[in-house]
Amino acid sequence: MKSINKTKEWKKLESLSKKMSKKHIYDMFKEDKDRYKKYTIDLDKLTFDFSKNRIDEKVFNSLIDLAKSAGLQEKIEEMFCGEKINTTENRAVLHTALRNRDNHPIFVDDEDVMPEVNNVLKRMKDFSDEVRSGEWKGHSGKKIKSIVNIGIGGSDLGPVMAVEALKPYCKKGLDMHFVSNIDGTHMIEVLKKCKPDTTLFVVASKTFTTQETMTNANTARKWLIDELGKTAVKKHFVAVSTNKEEVKKFGINVKNMFEFWNWVGGRYSMWSAIGLPIMIAIGWDNFEKLLEGGNAIDKHFRTTPLENNIPVIMGLLGVWYHNFFGAESYAVLPYDQYLHRFPAYLQQADMESNGKGVRFDGKYLDYQSGPILFGEPGTNGQHSFYQLIHQGTHLIPCDFIAPIHSHNETGNHHEILLANVLAQAKALMKGKTEKEAEEELIRMKKNKEDIALLKKHRAFSGNRPSNMILVEKVDPFTLGMLVSLYEHKIFVQGVIWQVNSYDQWGVELGKQLANQILPQISAGKNVKTSDNSTKNLIKKIRKARK
Ligand code: G6Q
């Protein structure tokens, strides 16, 4: 396998990056009146403007050539066709099948997965209809008022993010809660808001063995049984899992288990039965629109030539900055309060997928792979970390996401919000020269000494890249589009970096060590740890907790 950084396409980009370092994005706008048109793509209810990037035609075409040399088009087909592209776990990667709304057959091990996908969706629909209508009664004959999803990582972040993002579509009178952390505080604080006879727990775990989820589920079960008795469990617990045996062992009737499959990765699973709390909250019709939005991007990604393909371009722009300009991080900045968990969701999707240091063939990478992703909803971020993005020493490419219409058009809030998002993108690009800063200070009647010092502090280099993603409104369809866009952007980068985006061995070591340390803290076992720091900390904790 030829390393991507040894290809002629990569070398060409290296030399182009040196030339591009001398160019300013703002000047490129002045030189080309059509720049916005050239570098903007409209798709359905979404607009992707990537004109404020350090690219020109040569760079853009060379990035596309890099994608071609990495065999991106073929790899896209492999994913959609159910090839086992998760090589270290020998699994297909088929979250796209979960939203395959035209139902064309997709085969894994010679079996079409679509009948089962549709069967589970139908069961989810029936169940969520029952809960929403009040037909599903708790043990004491009362309607369900609180749903508590117990899951972590991929079995939590997607549903929380989507339920928050789609709040205007959530059923009134149904309170949605999510418990993930092993910290008992998380569960206890949620239980304080619930009553046993009107609460439904959804235990969401692909493996049904995850320490945090099973510990939390057992605590919830005890809380319920203490109040209503053991027979209440069947009316107040359902499971989402791939592991029937463990679900049975926990005491949940498999009739109340919603299945998914090993070809659905945790962080790509919100479209599967893991999305059950989303469906309960927003109803089948809206959930279907979410799937349709995801599917619209799938079709775009699979069929559109690379040069007009939004996730491909997003992925390549990231590669451009991470590998040729030394950018190590990447900010996703949604200007919609309902999207406040979107950056957290993407942190897992992106960093768990491409935070890898070994190539497919087992060789270590000698170039940078997945970036550090962070973000906060606008305008909060502007009053905290944007300082560093504007004037700091790091180059941080940004994605701004904004809806043209708000669900809450109150006064001129939304116009102010939109003005801010456009202003931020412009400020990053244009900057402010020392001369402009100086003129400003003169107008402010500052003295000469102050001007000489302050003009530097008040200048902005600009030339800092960003993408602008506008959607009509944050609704189920556009949310589906957004999530799917980022999933495929991550895929594209994984292909270029030659890493398996679909395993997550990096989370294992900590789990193993926690299992060794736990008995030393709780069961009074001899403290046997190879390093002095861990040993002394265990001793200190034990002494204090005696
Ligand atoms: C996601 C990861 C991980 C996983 C959690 C929960 O891609 O695999 O975040 O989702 O560890 O696992 P379970 O669903 O098996 O409890």
Side-chain angles (χ1 to χ4, degrees):
M1 182 179 210
K2 187 169 184 180
S3 179
I4 190 76
N5 64 347
K6 304 285 180 293
T7 60
K8 65 176 189 320
E9 290 79 7
W10 186 280
K11 304 271 176 224
K12 170 124 189 251
L13 284 162
E14 268 171 354
S15 94
L16 286 175
S17 67
K18 287 185 192 112
K19 289 183 196 143
M20 188 47 72
S21 301
K22 293 177 196 124
K23 283 196 176 182
H24 199 290
I25 309 170
Y26 193 54
D27 293 334
M28 292 193 279
F29 268 96
K30 286 191 221 149
E31 285 156 21
D32 182 0
K33 295 278 168 269
D34 284 335
R35 189 170 169 87
Y36 168 80
K37 219 163 122 201
K38 207 179 272 170
Y39 296 131
T40 296
I41 299 171
D42 285 302
L43 180 70
D44 262 309
K45 296 170 168 187
L46 184 143
T47 296
F48 174 61
D49 167 14
F50 61 105
S51 58
K52 295 189 209 71
N53 277 291
R54 292 185 177 184
I55 54 166
D56 57 14
E57 249 164 70
K58 257 194 200 152
V59 170
F60 184 70
N61 293 336
S62 304
L63 285 167
I64 298 293
D65 289 343
L66 180 74
K68 287 184 183 153
S69 79
L72 179 61
Q73 200 77 68
E74 298 78 41
K75 296 273 192 308
I76 293 174
E77 270 318 288
E78 286 174 14
M79 173 176 69
F80 276 96
C81 293
E83 300 273 318
K84 296 195 172 164
I85 61 168
N86 175 355
T87 46
T88 58
E89 295 179 309
N90 193 29
R91 289 177 183 171
V93 174
L94 272 181
H95 41 281
T96 52
L98 302 164
R99 52 202 189 212
N100 165 22
R101 301 311 293 153
D102 351 301
N103 262 313
H104 59 264
I106 299 174
F107 293 93
V108 174
D109 295 329
D110 299 326
E111 207 178 308
D112 180 9
V113 299
M114 288 317 296
E116 259 311 285
V117 167
N118 290 323
N119 175 33
V120 174
L121 276 176
K122 166 85 174 61
R123 290 187 54 231
M124 288 166 67
K125 176 183 182 311
D126 293 345
F127 179 71
S128 54
D129 283 350
E130 273 188 54
V131 175
R132 289 166 61 83
S133 68
E135 212 180 301
W136 179 276
K137 301 274 190 295
H139 182 66
S140 29
K142 292 190 182 154
K143 286 187 202 170
I144 297 300
K145 285 195 184 147
S146 308
I147 309 287
V148 182
N149 188 75
I150 304 177
I152 195 163
S155 301
D156 168 70
L157 287 160
V160 191
M161 178 280 291
V163 166
E164 286 298 309
L166 300 175
K167 226 174 215 163
Y169 301 86
C170 289
K171 189 170 170 64
K172 308 262 168 322
L174 257 188
D175 296 327
M176 304 301 300
H177 304 283
F178 294 86
V179 177
S180 50
N181 199 338
I182 188 64
D183 185 339
T185 302
H186 204 176
M187 179 58 84
I188 296 304
E189 285 299 327
V190 165
L191 292 181
K192 279 183 195 167
K193 298 178 198 146
C194 303
K195 294 207 170 84
D197 52 359
T198 53
T199 299
L200 177 77
F201 293 96
V202 178
V203 185
S205 174
K206 185 168 168 179
T207 53
F208 230 71
T209 55
T210 303
Q211 187 186 45
E212 291 91 334
T213 301
M214 297 330 293
T215 308
N216 280 326
N218 280 311
T219 301
R221 187 171 60 175
K222 183 169 181 316
W223 174 82
L224 185 95
I225 291 176
D226 284 352
E227 191 76 21
L228 301 178
K230 217 172 175 179
T231 47
V233 171
K234 65 175 181 297
K235 284 287 169 187
H236 293 268
F237 274 83
V238 297
V240 176
S241 188
T242 56
N243 190 343
K244 258 190 195 146
E245 288 317 305
E246 288 297 325
V247 169
K248 270 195 236 162
K249 265 196 230 160
F250 182 84
I252 296 177
N253 189 332
V254 286
K255 273 196 214 143
N256 296 331
M257 165 179 163
F258 300 86
E259 219 181 350
F260 62 118
W261 309 274
N262 76 9
W263 44 262
V264 183
R267 54 195 172 277
Y268 296 89
S269 66
M270 61 172 256
W271 321 91
S272 71
I274 288 291
L276 184 65
I278 311 174
M279 200 192 285
I280 295 175
I282 65 174
W284 163 256
D285 289 349
N286 284 318
F287 192 83
E288 193 179 26
K289 288 194 186 110
L290 182 80
L291 297 180
E292 284 165 2
N295 185 232
I297 292 294
D298 293 343
K299 287 182 180 156
H300 167 82
F301 184 52
R302 191 174 181 180
T303 59
T304 309
L306 301 182
E307 45 277 4
N308 296 316
N309 195 315
I310 304 175
V312 171
I313 296 169
M314 286 170 78
L316 290 173
L317 287 169
V319 168
W320 179 230
Y321 298 119
H322 304 314
N323 297 106
F324 300 95
F325 288 86
E328 292 188 327
S329 52
Y330 166 45
V332 178
L333 308 162
Y335 276 64
D336 187 298
Q337 188 59 29
Y338 288 125
L339 287 177
H340 71 111
R341 293 295 288 162
F342 196 56
Y345 170 75
L346 289 181
Q347 263 170 7
Q348 183 195 23
D350 205 316
M351 291 162 77
E352 203 167 69
S353 297
N354 286 337
K356 310 282 163 67
V358 177
R359 241 165 43 182
F360 272 116
D361 58 0
K363 299 250 163 58
Y364 288 108
L365 301 187
D366 56 358
Y367 47 85
Q368 198 156 290
S369 64
I372 303 153
L373 190 152
F374 68 101
E376 276 290 320
T379 58
N380 293 1
Q382 291 175 206
H383 295 265
S384 81
F385 56 81
Y386 279 34
Q387 164 64 40
L388 186 147
I389 305 181
H390 282 289
Q391 287 189 310
T393 51
H394 301 270
L395 176 71
I396 304 181
C398 300
D399 282 356
F400 292 101
I401 303 171
I404 295 172
H405 303 287
S406 164
H407 284 281
N408 301 296
E409 291 279 352
T410 166
N412 61 348
H413 284 245
H414 198 59
E415 281 159 14
I416 297 176
L417 185 78
L418 289 171
N420 270 280
V421 69
L422 296 183
Q424 289 300 324
K426 175 152 188 170
L428 286 172
M429 166 189 63
K430 182 176 176 304
K432 187 190 278 181
T433 60
E434 272 186 37
K435 189 160 183 304
E436 285 168 329
E438 184 174 346
E439 284 161 6
E440 215 172 67
L441 289 159
I442 293 170
R443 282 197 298 276
M444 290 161 76
K445 307 214 178 330
K446 295 279 177 198
N447 65 40
K448 263 194 182 161
E449 275 161 25
D450 280 353
I451 292 175
L453 175 72
L454 287 178
K455 67 178 185 189
K456 287 205 162 58
H457 290 278
R458 295 172 70 113
F460 294 67
S461 64
N463 209 17
R464 297 179 187 239
S466 69
N467 295 318
M468 180 69 65
I469 302 175
L470 285 185
V471 291
E472 258 174 50
K473 201 173 202 167
V474 176
D475 61 22
F477 188 87
T478 52
L479 183 70
M481 290 180 93
L482 284 173
V483 175
S484 179
L485 266 187
Y486 279 94
E487 285 177 348
H488 294 321
K489 171 244 157 198
I490 292 164
F491 172 86
V492 169
Q493 295 187 331
V495 169
I496 305 283
W497 291 323
Q498 302 172 315
V499 297
N500 177 8
S501 305
Y502 302 102
D503 61 12
Q504 55 285 315
W505 302 108
V507 298
E508 291 305 320
L509 178 59
K511 284 192 202 168
Q512 283 168 6
L513 292 181
N515 283 333
Q516 287 169 22
I517 292 173
L518 176 63
Q520 299 180 41
I521 289 182
S522 56
K525 287 255 166 78
N526 282 345
V527 179
K528 267 205 257 155
T529 306
S530 57
D531 73 281
N532 238 320
S533 165
T534 313
K535 190 189 277 175
N536 281 303
L537 290 169
I538 294 174
K539 282 186 176 166
K540 195 176 179 90
I541 290 169
R542 262 168 59 158
K543 198 170 162 204
R545 285 178 65 86
K546 245 186 199 161

